[in-house]
């Protein structure tokens, strides 16, 4: 029926329930996030206005492990100037996901 937010919420709930908790190494995620926060901004970041850290909006999925995952998403996307505040609206246009893929596999999704 065109309920984008409800569809995204359901998709994330399924992903988190079945995959994230099984495969997330909290220590590695903290280390990677710390490394990313020291990374200089990519030139494409000048296209977007973005403070290095967005505020955390209330989220029905919040738990400590998912908070770490959100921090990691924020750190990667901040390099490209894309604000990430939650797993719903921040991912709705696809930019955040594209930058996550590009950051780790630039040949799969080149910029430009």
């Amino acid at each position: 029926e065109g309920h984008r937010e409800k569809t995204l919420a359901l998709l994330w709930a399924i992903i988190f329930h079945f995959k994230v908790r099984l495969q997330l190494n909290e220590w590695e995620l903290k280390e990677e996030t710390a490394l990313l926060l020291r990374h200089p901004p990519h030139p494409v970041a000048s296209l977007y206005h973005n403070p290095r850290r967005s505020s955390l909006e209330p989220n029905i999925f919040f738990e400590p492990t998912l908070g770490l995952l959100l921090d990691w998403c924020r750190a990667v996307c901040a390099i490209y100037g894309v604000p990430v505040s939650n797993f719903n609206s921040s991912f709705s246009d696809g930019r955040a996901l594209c930058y996550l893929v590009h950051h780790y596999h630039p040949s799969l999704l080149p910029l430009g």
Side-chain angles (χ1 to χ4, degrees), residues 18-36:
F18 291 106
K19 290 289 182 188
V20 172
R21 290 184 190 113
L22 299 175
Q23 303 200 6
L24 199 62
N25 182 320
E26 289 184 35
W27 182 83
E28 288 179 359
L29 192 57
K30 286 178 184 177
E31 290 292 313
E32 179 68 10
T33 302
L35 178 69
L36 289 165

